[in-house]
Amino acid sequence: MSDHDNQPSDNQPNDNQLGEQTLWHGRFEGGPAAELMPFTESLSFDKRLWPDDIEGSRAHVRGLAESQIISVIERDAVLAALGMVAAELGSGTFVFVESDEDIHTAIERRVTEIAGSAGGKLHTGRSRNDQSATGVRLWLKRDLAVIAQRVVALQTVLLQRAEEAGDVYLPGYTHLQRAQPVLLAHHLLAHGWALGRDLDRIRDTLVRVDVSVLGAGALAGSSLPLDPVYTGDLLGFAGVFENSLDAVGSRDHIAEALFDLTMIAINLSRIGEEWVLWTTEEFGFARLDDGYATGSSMLPQKKNPDIAELARGKAGRIIGDLTGFLATMKGLPLSYNRDYQEDKEPLFDAMDQVRLGLGALTGMISTATFDTARMQAAADSETGSATDLAEWLVIRGVPFREAHAIVGALVRAALAGDGSLRDLVTAHPQLGPDAAALVAPGVSVTRRTTRGGAGPGPVADQIVRFRAALAAWSVRVGTTPGASPGSVAAPT
Ligand code: ARG
């Protein structure tokens, strides 16, 4: 029990009620039923917002003093109490009580215990509606920045591995059928560019997240002389809400952040699927470091790519976080509805899983060994040069459709056992020994010479451009491209 000695005690709890007073007890004759709190509480998951709630409260109480709604003495008493509460929460000594419905309630309760009547003024002109929405925005700004840093760490590893790969090539696939050889560097950087778009999306989303909604009150602003611009500035927001109903009654920025996280999760899932294939005995393109693989409880020989599989598996759950929350928002009338409390679990889950997944995949890729001989042998199947043969004919004036038919017929003959493609090309009147040289191992990939293509020339240019882009992305997210993937601190 906390001692609410400055509050009326006319609503005594009965057997089926909580033993604590709620924030709204004045309007109620009886206390909440025992079944209410377990269903409606959010403390179990919004606890992590405590640093943001403290920060928001500090700004609010300064604003109250600035507007002379409370005295400087009261302001300082509340600020000191907030400091003590922060210390308790930070050290794990904070004692939660039964009536602490959410982190906002818990902090206000404790501030009031410490600061007495000054603490009772903290919530002046404020609602949990603008308070919690402000807290989540502060949290999102910080945590999306961590995600962005981890994306850069993964891109950095992809670039390092691409640079190391030199002229190593592997089959490029369409329909998961071998199509044309591509440089390994080209393949790795394909993921790097996709992750760059994820970073761009996060930056765009942050523009809409970076808006203070403190001062919107429950839904309509206040009769008190509050200044939302003053508190928004104190909190470091780039902008301030224009419409109080919209401020507390919209969550599109959260849906957007969830989409950004989901898209990253999907990109990680696709990388994961590739590594699941690459580490099979059938492909054998890569071997995982022991630290990034798992064994089987029964099969002694097994080395399993569980990180890659979970990158794939967790994407399903994160898609659920996004679609579930979109469904929550659908049909909600203005402005705040308690349904919005349901924004937090999907958001926190998606954020946590994407953060962990980025770290795990980055480590897995940076420590894996490529079997370049296996990759190149797979790419050296003769038919991988079929398009080069057709284009060789095109340069000599043969219409492409005709060239396609000529080479297709030779591939069919080779597959039917009439001889190797190379021999058939050598013997063909329109092709001959010069064309047959294209079928030799390693030649085809060198013929991808156009901008953005898969051969050594354009890939060298691409690496230069990717390095420059990565430097720009790194500056934007406040990290250095060379930083080790583990150097990004995980938030609590
Ligand atoms: N925990 C709640 C949330 O996250 C706080 C808002 C409660 N507001 C209210 N009017 N009951 O949305």
Side-chain angles (χ1 to χ4, degrees), residues 177-239:
Q177 306 285 323
R178 286 179 195 163
Q180 287 181 299
V182 297
L183 287 194
L184 175 58
H186 193 58
H187 186 114
L188 294 169
L189 288 186
H191 293 303
W193 292 108
L195 290 165
R197 293 191 294 278
D198 291 331
L199 288 174
D200 292 344
R201 263 187 288 275
I202 288 177
R203 186 184 50 166
D204 290 348
T205 298
L206 280 169
V207 172
R208 284 170 287 281
V209 169
D210 201 4
V211 174
S212 183
V213 294
L214 191 59
L219 77 165
S222 181
S223 69
L224 300 166
L226 301 173
D227 182 2
V229 175
Y230 179 79
T231 49
D233 282 349
L234 282 182
L235 290 170
F237 281 108

Side-chain angles (χ1 to χ4, degrees), residues 10 141 147 187 228 240 291 307 350 381 480 488:
D10 51 356
K141 279 174 65 175
I147 296 289
H187 186 114
V240 172
I307 289 175
S381 66
T480 45
V488 179

Side-chain angles (χ1 to χ4, degrees), residues 83-165:
M84 286 172 68
V85 174
E88 289 176 5
L89 284 160
S91 63
T93 55
F94 187 97
V95 181
F96 290 98
V97 302
E98 225 182 335
S99 64
D100 289 341
E101 188 187 4
D102 54 27
I103 190 61
H104 320 294
T105 318
I107 291 174
E108 187 190 335
R109 186 224 0 118
R110 185 72 186 120
V111 165
T112 307
E113 285 169 8
I114 297 168
S117 62
K121 296 191 175 184
L122 169 59
H123 210 54
T124 310
R126 186 177 71 169
S127 157
R128 275 182 299 160
N129 299 352
D130 58 342
Q131 181 183 3
S132 72
T134 301
V136 174
R137 283 173 183 271
L138 289 170
W139 180 87
L140 257 177
K141 279 174 65 175
R142 205 177 50 241
D143 273 48
L144 279 177
V146 173
I147 296 289
Q149 289 172 1
R150 289 206 166 196
V151 169
V152 166
L154 175 53
Q155 290 177 301
T156 303
V157 162
L158 289 169
L159 175 62
Q160 282 164 356
R161 304 254 34 192
E163 285 173 328
E164 277 162 36

Side-chain angles (χ1 to χ4, degrees), residues 53-75:
D53 193 69
I54 297 268
E55 209 185 323
S57 289
R58 283 187 173 130
H60 182 63
V61 85
R62 286 184 200 281
L64 291 173
E66 184 70 14
S67 305
Q68 293 172 2
I69 298 165
I70 63 169
S71 70
V72 168
I73 292 167
E74 288 168 327
R75 177 198 69 192

Side-chain angles (χ1 to χ4, degrees), residues 24 40-43 45-46 49 101-105 127-133 136 218 251 336-344:
W24 62 82
T40 60
E41 68 84 27
S42 56
L43 179 67
F45 50 87
D46 67 16
L49 293 175
E101 188 187 4
D102 54 27
I103 190 61
H104 320 294
T105 318
S127 157
R128 275 182 299 160
N129 299 352
D130 58 342
Q131 181 183 3
S132 72
V136 174
R251 293 287 188 277
Y336 177 83
N337 298 274
R338 189 62 179 267
D339 313 47
Y340 278 150
Q341 182 169 289
E342 292 291 305
D343 59 358
K344 292 170 198 62

